[in-house]
Amino acid sequence: MKTIDHSLGRRIFSLPFAFCMSLLLGWSLSMPVYAESAEEKGLRIARDADARDHGFGNYTAQQTMVLRNKHGQESHRKLRVKILEVPEDGDKSLFVFDNPRDVQGTAFLVHSHKEGADDQWLYLPALKRVKRISSSNRSGSFMGSEFAYEDMTAQDVDKFTYQYLRDEPCGDLTCFVVERVPTDKDSGYRRQLVWFDQDELRAQQIHFYDRKDTHMKTLTFEEYAQYLDKFWRSGLMTMVNHVTGKSTTMMWKDFQFQTKLSDRDFTKTGLKRVR
Amino acid sequence: MLHRNVLPRIAPVAVLIAGIVLGSGVRAESDIYFDFSGKISIENRWFPQTNLYPHQSRHSSGFVFEPELYFEGAEGWSFTLVPFFRYDSADSRRTHGDLREAYFLLYGELGEDEWELRVGVDRIFWGVIESNHLVDIINQVDVIEHPDQEVELGQLMAHLTLSGEWGIAEFFVLPHHRERTFPGRDGRLRSGLIVDEDHPTYESSAEQWHTDFALRYSHNFGPFDIGISMFDGTSREPLLRPCFGPDVAVEDLVSASRAESLVPHYEQIRQFGLDAQMTLEDWIWKLEAIHRSGAQNLSCEEDDYAALVMGVEYTFYSVFDSPADFSLVWEWNYDERGENATNIFDDDLFFAIRYALNDLHDTAFFFSMMQDREHSTNVLFLEFDRRLTDQWSMNIEGFHLLNSDEKDLQADPIRRDSFLELRLNYNF
């Protein structure tokens, strides 16, 4: 879930090198030599954040979601996530449900694309049936959670327009606050505000505004860890819906990068084989 | 009482399992991953109308046990075992067992492409349509389990898949034929005459051991998912004799010359199939078509025929300011044999509404209506699904036959068999 976290790291070859780079980067992001517009700066931050995650190849992880309604009642979801980086196109994602038990073995395959609609298939093990499903339901709830499908699948830089707003402290860090507007008419959002920390360009917080421009949801990222000395992933994401009072906590564990996964695991044949 | 076809095949499977268990003893135990899951359901069906035939009851209750055992070796092979057992209080035939799945799976690379081999008992589904599974032919349907013909019996097969950028090619060798299940004398939802399951006849002298073959090529590009298929072998759909001549009046059929039962006859057929889906934003367009040769029609004449179903589904997402989805489905079934068609889909319109709340409980409603354009028969179907806890879930189903036409030979015997079913499932 490259998309949710934008948890992007970079390879640090040596400490002095890293120090120089971060100085250079800080300078390049905050003090452009020419009059950079807010749009250009926003896009540059987003591109930079995206570029830091290039080359992860693939990864797998275990995900636990805790869904809470406004009365505090809880419901749990467990799934396994497999992501494959596709250099010239959008990533391929596979979600396999382990819990609740009635949907155990159900699998959801997404081929996201830089241009045009994503391709999505659902495997229903009880019927042994692979169903192609529409990707226009981007704003729909993922498994009854406060995460929408569009929050779960790969979002390409090109699927938004950007505007840099301001610098702002975020916890112990300082963040760039960037507004992004989805270009996809099926998006449930009018705009999003993203807080990127200036150290590693990791998303720290996202505010989601619905089509009526109401601040509907807030997503916060915690427990960042770095994998293969490069790729940052958040281990704890919390999505709060301010309109309904519901929330979803998403916990990640067992990240494994650059496994044996290949294209073959993300086909319709591979989908039927999934466990 | 296990279905008599099951027993001979449970023995080799038991040997396989024993082999695996012994094998796992030889190797380090952690080499084999094992998973045990499944479902236990208790079920009640009520038939509000009095029975048409003697011995049928107004109520049936029962349970289903369907565990799944999964073994996976470190080298990538796996073995899946899914036995099935159902107990029914009203119809002794509905108390039945089956081996739904018992197969080895192996796969690997082939240059740029991939191969996959499944050997054993498996279930295969082809198709895209809701109301009728026209193209789907590999497995026999377990009609006694559910009259909607969605439940499949396990089929012994060797299934090779080759796939790559060019698509997916599948080859099937099917050495054994499963007979269709039918309700017994005490069961509801049956034909006027009982189907004699003990004395089926076959066109092939090899009877149920005739080796059938099937091929399928499928691919997806852009919004399209397309499959073409061919099947050559024993028909899954039996011709139920005594046959009705073309000039026999309906009244004579009902008395049916005092015959005591219908004898299923399985013919040798060849079927070409096409299934296609175009997924365009909120619209899904669907098509299934077949051409079948070698089968007799309802008048006992060999009659090559084509049949098709086309449909469209439109979904309104996030309706009523909620996460709920609301879908409308429309399908048209056509069989060029018309009145001589051996199924109920000769010229039928299907309309359905699906309302999925997308809430914590995955609450969903489904309502459908099938209307025969030749007869006045209307079939209504209602389903409600809801998860109760992480492990418990429930379903309610309603089936109602509206305006059954006495000239509609398939619908008339079940005209008083509308039912309401409540099922409670424990998923583990």
Side-chain angles (χ1 to χ4, degrees):
Chain A
M1 221 143 319
K2 164 189 181 185
T3 60
I4 315 185
D5 44 14
H6 281 265
S7 48
L8 313 163
R10 73 202 140 106
R11 196 180 302 281
I12 297 169
F13 297 104
S14 67
L15 222 55
F17 177 77
F19 180 69
C20 294
M21 281 304 288
S22 54
L23 275 185
L24 197 66
L25 181 87
W27 172 79
S28 69
L29 287 171
S30 55
M31 299 172 64
V33 284
Y34 62 97
E36 189 185 36
S37 70
E39 286 79 8
E40 285 166 336
K41 184 166 177 179
L43 178 62
R44 188 160 52 81
I45 294 167
R47 284 223 174 111
D48 214 343
D50 188 57
R52 288 180 185 218
D53 206 38
H54 284 176
F56 71 81
N58 64 67
Y59 68 87
T60 63
Q62 309 262 353
Q63 193 191 84
T64 304
M65 283 198 282
V66 181
L67 284 53
R68 285 185 197 85
N69 68 14
K70 60 186 166 196
H71 309 295
Q73 282 178 310
E74 286 186 1
S75 179
H76 294 246
R77 305 276 184 272
K78 271 195 193 132
L79 47 152
R80 282 165 288 142
V81 181
K82 301 174 186 196
I83 309 285
L84 181 76
E85 184 178 20
V86 182
E88 297 303 314
D89 203 353
D91 294 346
K92 295 179 179 176
S93 321
L94 184 59
F95 303 90
V96 187
F97 305 127
D98 288 328
N99 198 280
R101 297 300 275 177
D102 63 327
V103 292
Q104 188 219 1
T106 301
F108 178 52
L109 173 67
V110 184
H111 290 180
S112 62
H113 299 300
K114 278 188 195 292
E115 280 175 34
D118 295 348
D119 301 327
Q120 301 185 340
W121 293 268
L122 196 62
Y123 175 61
L124 305 165
L127 303 170
K128 306 269 295 187
R129 185 168 177 178
V130 173
K131 259 183 137 168
R132 171 79 172 262
I133 56 173
S134 168
S135 61
S136 67
N137 183 25
R138 295 176 54 73
S139 61
S141 160
F142 181 76
M143 292 189 83
S145 75
E146 296 313 305
F147 287 85
Y149 280 97
E150 64 186 305
D151 306 331
M152 298 294 295
T153 55
Q155 298 168 352
D156 197 79
V157 173
D158 300 339
K159 288 192 169 171
F160 297 90
T161 59
Y162 300 85
Q163 186 163 20
Y164 162 78
L165 298 181
R166 58 185 179 269
D167 286 0
E168 194 175 279
C170 48
D172 300 334
L173 304 165
T174 307
C175 279
F176 296 117
V177 186
V178 175
E179 180 186 74
R180 60 181 190 190
V181 176
T183 52
D184 185 342
K185 65 176 174 52
D186 289 322
S187 173
Y189 307 120
R190 178 145 173 185
R191 61 193 177 105
Q192 302 172 3
L193 297 187
V194 189
W195 277 254
F196 291 105
D197 71 69
Q198 296 185 357
D199 290 5
E200 296 286 355
L201 292 185
R202 297 164 300 198
Q204 297 289 336
Q205 182 170 260
I206 303 178
H207 286 181
F208 296 92
Y209 291 81
D210 67 12
R211 286 176 188 148
K212 295 170 202 144
D213 209 25
T214 307
H215 178 197
M216 176 172 63
K217 300 191 293 190
T218 299
L219 175 60
T220 49
F221 300 86
E222 292 165 88
E223 298 182 9
Y224 267 109
Q226 197 177 26
Y227 299 88
L228 304 183
D229 289 336
K230 182 170 184 198
F231 308 107
W232 289 96
R233 291 291 179 273
S234 163
L236 177 64
M237 303 177 190
T238 308
M239 181 78 93
V240 177
N241 188 319
H242 306 295
V243 178
T244 61
K246 294 193 235 177
S247 68
T248 299
T249 307
M250 196 182 269
M251 286 159 286
W252 294 82
K253 61 173 190 180
D254 298 340
F255 277 105
Q256 311 247 1
F257 278 76
Q258 296 176 356
T259 68
K260 284 191 289 184
L261 284 178
S262 74
D263 251 333
R264 301 188 280 125
D265 299 292
F266 296 86
T267 61
K268 282 161 84 176
T269 316
L271 187 59
K272 283 187 221 172
R273 221 166 33 219
V274 116
R275 287 293 307 183
Chain B
M1 187 182 73
L2 288 173
H3 193 279
R4 64 197 171 83
N5 277 334
V6 176
L7 287 169
R9 284 184 298 115
I10 284 181
V13 170
V15 172
L16 288 178
I17 297 168
I20 290 165
V21 172
L22 290 174
S24 69
V26 174
R27 284 192 279 165
E29 252 184 57
S30 58
D31 276 4
I32 292 187
Y33 166 80
F34 172 67
D35 185 41
F36 182 67
S37 58
K39 185 163 97 169
I40 298 170
S41 308
I42 47 173
E43 182 187 293
N44 271 291
R45 258 186 202 175
W46 292 274
F47 298 87
Q49 292 165 285
T50 51
N51 39 311
L52 188 62
Y53 303 107
H55 310 294
Q56 290 179 318
S57 20
R58 297 281 295 273
H59 169 252
S60 75
S61 55
F63 67 85
V64 173
F65 180 49
E66 192 169 8
E68 175 168 341
L69 293 85
Y70 177 79
F71 304 84
E72 188 181 292
E75 305 83 358
W77 61 265
S78 68
F79 177 72
T80 306
L81 180 66
V82 185
F84 167 89
F85 180 77
R86 129 97 57 201
Y87 168 77
D88 186 81
S89 67
D91 183 358
S92 59
R93 266 200 203 170
R94 194 160 185 250
T95 297
H96 69 299
D98 182 33
L99 198 53
R100 295 291 198 227
E101 292 172 23
Y103 63 88
F104 273 104
L105 187 154
L106 298 163
Y107 63 98
E109 285 171 53
L110 200 71
E112 291 283 287
D113 301 338
E114 183 201 34
W115 63 270
E116 180 192 280
L117 180 66
R118 293 168 184 247
V119 180
V121 177
D122 198 3
R123 289 177 290 182
I124 303 293
F125 179 83
W126 298 343
V128 292
I129 290 286
E130 296 277 340
S131 58
N132 180 12
H133 302 316
L134 201 58
V135 167
D136 191 38
I137 195 168
I138 298 293
N139 290 74
Q140 182 59 275
V141 284
D142 195 357
V143 173
I144 199 169
E145 182 56 23
H146 202 292
D148 69 4
Q149 308 207 355
E150 294 259 341
V151 187
E152 294 181 332
L153 294 170
Q155 167 69 46
L156 187 62
M157 69 180 81
H159 172 196
L160 175 69
T161 305
L162 301 173
S163 60
E165 288 289 309
W166 44 269
I168 303 169
E170 293 170 88
F171 306 88
F172 298 85
V173 179
L174 312 156
H176 180 255
H177 176 265
R178 300 295 308 277
E179 291 155 33
R180 187 165 289 194
T181 57
F182 292 98
R185 192 183 58 137
D186 302 340
R188 288 283 195 137
L189 301 158
R190 69 167 168 91
S191 46
L193 293 171
I194 303 296
V195 177
D196 182 356
E197 287 186 335
D198 295 332
H199 304 95
T201 59
Y202 285 87
E203 181 179 340
S204 163
S205 57
E207 302 199 322
Q208 79 251 44
W209 290 102
H210 179 271
T211 304
D212 304 340
F213 296 96
L215 304 167
R216 177 175 163 87
Y217 169 77
S218 57
H219 199 24
N220 61 280
F221 38 91
F224 298 99
D225 286 63
I226 287 178
I228 49 173
S229 53
M230 200 272 279
F231 171 89
D232 192 302
T234 310
S235 179
R236 273 48 180 150
E237 179 194 354
L239 187 70
L240 295 173
R241 290 170 163 170
C243 280
F244 305 138
D247 304 321
V248 179
V250 173
E251 297 74 55
D252 301 336
L253 297 180
V254 176
S255 58
S257 61
R258 302 233 167 256
E260 285 177 358
S261 61
L262 296 171
V263 176
H265 178 66
Y266 294 95
E267 299 157 300
Q268 289 298 305
I269 60 156
R270 177 171 291 171
Q271 174 172 310
F272 294 93
L274 165 74
D275 57 271
Q277 177 171 322
M278 181 170 69
T279 311
L280 270 183
E281 302 199 328
D282 302 343
W283 294 91
I284 298 178
W285 300 85
K286 302 170 178 186
L287 173 72
E288 286 190 32
I290 59 163
H291 180 271
R292 184 182 287 191
S293 49
Q296 295 179 35
N297 61 23
L298 212 54
S299 303
C300 286
E301 297 157 327
E302 188 154 317
D303 187 3
D304 296 355
Y305 72 99
L308 69 85
V309 200
M310 52 174 110
V312 61
E313 181 173 332
Y314 184 84
T315 303
F316 299 90
Y317 294 107
S318 304
V319 290
F320 313 129
D321 267 334
S322 75
D325 300 334
F326 187 83
S327 307
L328 298 171
V329 185
W330 178 90
E331 290 172 1
W332 177 55
N333 284 271
Y334 174 74
D335 187 316
E336 69 171 2
R337 294 170 301 176
E339 286 294 282
N340 270 328
T342 49
N343 57 51
I344 60 166
F345 303 108
D346 55 327
D347 183 5
D348 290 59
L349 286 175
F350 173 84
F351 175 73
I353 295 169
R354 192 186 303 107
Y355 181 48
L357 266 61
N358 293 321
D359 59 352
L360 283 183
H361 308 283
D362 270 349
T363 311
F365 297 89
F366 182 80
F367 170 79
S368 73
M369 186 174 83
M370 180 86 118
Q371 183 181 25
D372 190 320
R373 303 216 309 154
E374 302 292 320
H375 304 291
S376 56
T377 311
N378 274 319
V379 179
L380 306 182
F381 181 75
L382 181 79
E383 188 176 338
F384 170 77
D385 302 315
R386 186 173 164 90
R387 180 185 308 119
L388 303 172
T389 70
D390 278 358
Q391 298 202 294
W392 291 91
S393 60
M394 63 166 292
N395 323 85
I396 297 173
E397 275 183 25
F399 164 86
H400 185 55
L401 206 65
L402 204 66
N403 305 328
S404 92
D405 184 333
E406 65 180 22
K407 291 193 187 65
D408 190 337
L409 295 175
Q410 273 112 355
D412 190 58
I414 58 167
R415 65 178 182 268
R416 302 185 62 80
D417 290 348
S418 299
F419 69 83
L420 184 72
E421 178 181 299
L422 174 66
R423 198 163 53 237
L424 195 62
N425 313 298
Y426 178 74
N427 308 282
F428 57 94

